[in-house]
Amino acid sequence: MSNSIEIPFSTTLMVRDTCLCLHVQRAARALARLFDDALRPAGLTNGQFSLMMSLNRPEPPPMGPVAALLAMDQTTLTAALKPLQRKGWVKVMENPRDRRGRLLSLTTEGKAVLAKALPIWQSTHAMIDGNLPEGGAARLRQDLQALS
Amino acid sequence: MSNSIEIPFSTTLMVRDTCLCLHVQRAARALARLFDDALRPAGLTNGQFSLMMSLNRPEPPPMGPVAALLAMDQTTLTAALKPLQRKGWVKVMENPRDRRGRLLSLTTEGKAVLAKALPIWQSTHAMIDGNLPEGGAARLRQDLQALS
DNA sequence: ACTAAATACATTGATATCAATAGAAATGAA
DNA sequence: TTCATTTCTATTGATATCAATGTATTTAGT
């Protein structure tokens, strides 16, 4: 006479084994830890590295396109810029062509930090790449692209 | 006479296009938003769904193995359990066999919430699956597994 | 049994993430 | 021009994430 709504354990196992969201979140956490550890001597997290690298352009981009490139909420980008501004690695200035907007650029010091981090990224990425099956990296990137 | 250490724009483009960490983080954010939106009527986030589903077992598991299964830090799990305990969906009890440890279990109400969320997961996952190339989902899971 | 080491978890502090909301500026329609 | 709408960003509040650290308990070596 149980009123409880039970999900069979077999269903749990099926969800665990097939859920792409779970698989991606797990890989995201594991890779984030790996790159965070590797980049720590450079003073960057994986997210800060990706953000700053995306700002290394000929022309300072506004926030919207950067958030879209990183597939993150604009409010997340606003928050993520704070510690980088505080450290003097990123400059946020008003867009003279559209005073609602901001233009993001690396400072000279920011570029130096990024340059120091680049070889760490290279060796870490090469290591991961080597652990994937032949052609796995390219295939993986393509599949992930289809998700976002 | 610039002292600044410049990374070529071409390198930036290469990193953007090849970095597996960035690709996975992007996909993770996009998928999280997708499932969060879909699961909102059920009152769950994607992470809470995965966590609660992993607790739907015959025997209440301790925290360590659950954190390992989700590839998350144990301190993250401690924090993630708080709102679920507060809502009365998850029970955390002392392990009588090892008083350092805790055993995690779903409450009756928690099981009901999870049961309501399950069909949402199914339809959302089916939609994603359909957007991937033939056999893409299985291949993707395998590649992601190799990363964590 | 005693003690050192290992294990399991909690707390704190910092950053990351997004929904909801609000403000300011640009755009478009009249 | 005027005003309603849209666009761009910031703020607030809640949860997520992990490093560093601390505490309690168990385990292992003696």
Side-chain angles (χ1 to χ4, degrees):
Chain A
M1 53 150 277
S2 159
N3 288 351
S4 69
I5 306 161
E6 294 276 352
I7 295 178
F9 186 46
S10 57
T11 302
T12 291
L13 294 178
M14 184 272 290
V15 172
R16 265 194 229 170
D17 289 343
T18 63
C19 184
L20 283 170
C21 187
L22 173 58
H23 278 72
V24 170
Q25 305 299 326
R26 283 203 303 201
R29 285 189 284 257
L31 273 185
R33 276 194 299 269
L34 187 70
F35 275 89
D36 284 353
D37 285 346
L39 290 169
R40 190 163 298 123
L44 288 176
T45 64
N46 80 91
Q48 294 173 334
F49 175 80
S50 294
L51 170 52
M52 288 178 66
M53 188 59 82
S54 81
L55 301 183
N56 187 50
R57 311 183 188 190
E59 292 300 322
M63 293 182 58
V66 173
L69 171 69
L70 302 175
M72 63 170 53
D73 197 276
Q74 285 157 339
T75 67
T76 303
L77 178 55
T78 298
L81 288 169
K82 290 282 169 62
L84 299 178
Q85 285 178 272
R86 201 182 321 129
K87 286 170 179 165
W89 296 342
V90 169
K91 197 168 53 179
V92 178
M93 51 186 165
E94 209 177 52
N95 185 347
R97 296 185 177 276
D98 183 343
R99 296 203 328 266
R100 292 169 301 182
R102 308 281 182 270
L103 296 180
L104 309 178
S105 58
L106 297 176
T107 65
T108 302
E109 196 183 345
K111 289 177 186 174
V113 170
L114 193 58
K116 190 179 160 199
L118 182 56
I120 300 177
W121 174 84
Q122 284 172 322
S123 57
T124 306
H125 198 272
M127 189 185 62
I128 293 172
D129 224 337
N131 285 341
L132 285 175
E134 194 57 31
R139 196 176 60 196
L140 183 51
R141 277 189 292 267
Q142 208 160 18
D143 289 335
L144 289 171
Q145 203 97 42
L147 290 178
S148 45
Chain B
M1 54 149 280
S2 159
N3 289 351
S4 68
I5 306 161
E6 295 276 351
I7 296 178
F9 186 46
S10 57
T11 302
T12 291
L13 294 178
M14 183 271 290
V15 173
R16 265 193 228 169
D17 289 344
T18 63
C19 184
L20 283 171
C21 187
L22 173 57
H23 277 72
V24 170
Q25 304 300 325
R26 283 203 305 200
R29 286 190 284 257
L31 273 186
R33 276 194 299 270
L34 186 70
F35 275 89
D36 285 353
D37 284 347
L39 289 169
R40 191 162 297 122
L44 288 176
T45 65
N46 80 91
Q48 293 172 334
F49 175 79
S50 294
L51 170 52
M52 287 178 67
M53 189 59 81
S54 80
L55 300 183
N56 187 51
R57 311 182 187 189
E59 291 301 323
M63 292 182 59
V66 173
L69 171 69
L70 302 175
M72 63 169 54
D73 197 275
Q74 284 160 339
T75 67
T76 303
L77 178 56
T78 299
L81 288 170
K82 291 281 170 63
L84 299 178
Q85 285 179 271
R86 201 181 322 128
K87 286 171 180 165
W89 296 343
V90 168
K91 197 169 53 177
V92 179
M93 51 186 165
E94 207 178 54
N95 185 346
R97 296 184 177 277
D98 183 344
R99 295 202 329 262
R100 294 169 300 182
R102 308 282 183 270
L103 297 180
L104 308 178
S105 58
L106 297 175
T107 64
T108 302
E109 196 184 346
K111 289 178 186 175
V113 169
L114 193 58
K116 189 179 160 199
L118 181 56
I120 299 178
W121 174 84
Q122 283 171 322
S123 58
T124 306
H125 198 272
M127 188 184 63
I128 293 172
D129 225 335
N131 285 341
L132 285 175
E134 194 57 29
R139 197 176 58 196
L140 183 51
R141 277 190 291 266
Q142 208 161 18
D143 289 336
L144 289 171
Q145 203 97 42
L147 290 178
S148 42

